[in-house]
Amino acid sequence: MLTIGVDIGGTKVAAGVVDDQGEIVEHTLRPTAADRPDVVAETVVDVVRELSEGREIEAVGVGAAGFVDETRSVVRFAPNLAWRDEPLQKKISDLVGLPVVIENDANAMAWGETRFGAGRGQSHVVCVTLGTGIGGGLVIDGALYRGRWGMGAELGHMQVLPGGRLCGCGNVGCWEQYASGQALVKDAREIAEAEPERARTLLGLAGGKIEGEEVTEAARLGDDASLAAFRSLADWLGQGMADLAALLDPGCFIVGGGVSRAADLFIDRARQVFAERITGHGHRPLAEIRLAELGASAGVVGAADLARLR
């Protein structure tokens, strides 16, 4: 039984044919225009038609970075795509002639990891996706938790520091302003500007423009400013997971996203901070903190499986 999973990002659309064991049979990748909703929908239709050729496809699941309504059909708002109350499910379904399910991309990733990746065997999972911002997904009692209006688990927009940094969502002090890829770069830049002697390696690598790749490389070379930025990220990540554990008491956290490729620089410290700051520490079981296993395929696999289980 085959379904198609589609993962829509700000610059590309990834899609794959997925079997009921979570294995990708065929995969494709297309660039797309984030500022043109119709072009994005057309790109999704094109990849579905391409992947359907010669196959019996049961349904299509689409993971989209935005607020997806409770019917899993309309993208209410997408901060990095030009979607406002976009009836994406109908647009795609009408053109491909298959059942289509729309899901938040982080939810799809969390489901993929829980079913076929790092969360296998777990029924209570919190998935934290560290990219430019922070995405999140919750699996509770073995079911994906979406909230009343389909917009739950926006973990990156919990306020962790009142009066803190301005966030792209319009609020201030959101978690993703302190424990994400953009936070890592911002911290490194601030240290380098204030104390350039601590950032000699970083400044030498960056050549005037500090980005995440340079911060990671400099940290591995022992650059003090870059290591300090990773320590800050680890502290905020560990504290945030401790707060989530107080609320949700999961058996497992899964940390994924692009920043997790540098996990060797922060994950041990994050685990330590989590253990020290969790409510009732020393008197309760600790959730495992695992790294995601499916990588960039998690969203495709999760979306396809959600379509199968619609």
Side-chain angles (χ1 to χ4, degrees):
M1 186 179 297
L2 300 175
T3 53
I4 291 175
V6 182
D7 187 7
I8 301 174
T11 60
K12 63 184 183 300
V13 170
V17 179
V18 183
D19 67 19
D20 55 9
Q21 299 302 307
E23 295 293 329
I24 297 178
V25 176
E26 186 176 346
H27 185 268
T28 189
L29 189 68
R30 297 276 186 88
T32 191
D35 58 344
R36 300 180 62 189
D38 288 339
V39 172
V40 175
E42 289 168 8
T43 302
V44 173
V45 170
D46 285 346
V47 298
V48 169
R49 286 174 174 166
E50 174 189 327
L51 293 171
S52 298
E53 192 170 346
R55 297 185 176 95
E56 188 172 341
I57 301 297
E58 180 190 2
V60 178
V62 179
F67 292 169
V68 179
D69 77 343
E70 69 274 21
T71 68
R72 297 196 294 177
S73 60
V74 177
V75 183
R76 293 296 185 195
F77 171 77
N80 298 311
L81 293 162
W83 284 334
R84 302 295 183 268
D85 295 317
E86 179 75 8
L88 192 61
Q89 186 270 345
K90 179 171 172 48
K91 280 187 175 181
I92 296 171
S93 183
D94 285 352
L95 290 171
V96 301
L98 290 167
V100 175
V101 169
I102 309 297
E103 186 55 81
N104 171 269
D105 62 338
N107 283 354
M109 180 262 190
W111 186 252
E113 285 288 348
T114 300
R115 285 272 286 154
F116 304 109
R120 287 187 302 272
Q122 294 283 337
S123 59
H124 294 74
V125 177
V126 176
C127 197
V128 181
T129 308
L130 305 178
T132 302
I134 295 179
L138 306 178
V139 174
I140 298 175
D141 281 333
L144 184 65
Y145 178 80
R146 306 184 72 255
R148 170 61 183 87
W149 310 110
M151 302 174 191
E154 287 292 335
L155 306 182
H157 298 292
M158 301 184 301
Q159 188 184 63
V160 298
L161 187 62
R165 292 171 174 168
L166 178 65
C167 183
C169 73
N171 288 329
V172 297
C174 291
W175 191 26
E176 70 175 39
Q177 292 303 310
Y178 302 94
S180 65
Q182 64 176 323
L184 177 74
V185 171
K186 187 174 293 186
D187 286 340
R189 287 174 178 170
E190 288 178 355
I191 297 170
E193 183 177 351
E195 303 175 77
E197 69 280 359
R198 295 180 63 191
R200 289 177 183 172
T201 302
L202 174 60
L203 291 169
L205 289 170
K209 187 168 178 61
I210 296 172
E211 299 293 351
E213 185 176 339
E214 288 79 21
V215 178
T216 300
E217 185 178 352
R220 293 200 168 114
L221 293 172
D223 181 78
D224 189 54
S226 301
L227 288 169
F230 271 107
R231 285 194 297 272
S232 177
L233 182 148
D235 290 350
W236 281 108
L237 178 61
Q239 178 65 64
M241 290 190 294
D243 293 341
L244 287 166
L247 177 66
L248 298 167
D249 190 32
C252 171
F253 285 90
I254 298 173
V255 178
V259 178
S260 70
R261 291 194 292 268
D264 57 300
L265 294 168
F266 67 84
I267 197 66
D268 287 343
R269 184 181 177 98
R271 288 177 175 132
Q272 179 183 346
V273 171
F274 169 76
E276 291 172 351
R277 299 185 185 176
I278 191 170
T279 304
H281 65 91
H283 301 282
R284 62 181 292 171
L286 282 178
E288 290 187 69
I289 298 174
R290 302 176 180 176
L291 295 175
E293 294 179 1
L294 300 182
S297 300
V300 168
V301 171
D305 198 59
L306 288 167
R308 182 178 293 107
L309 300 173
R310 70 193 186 284

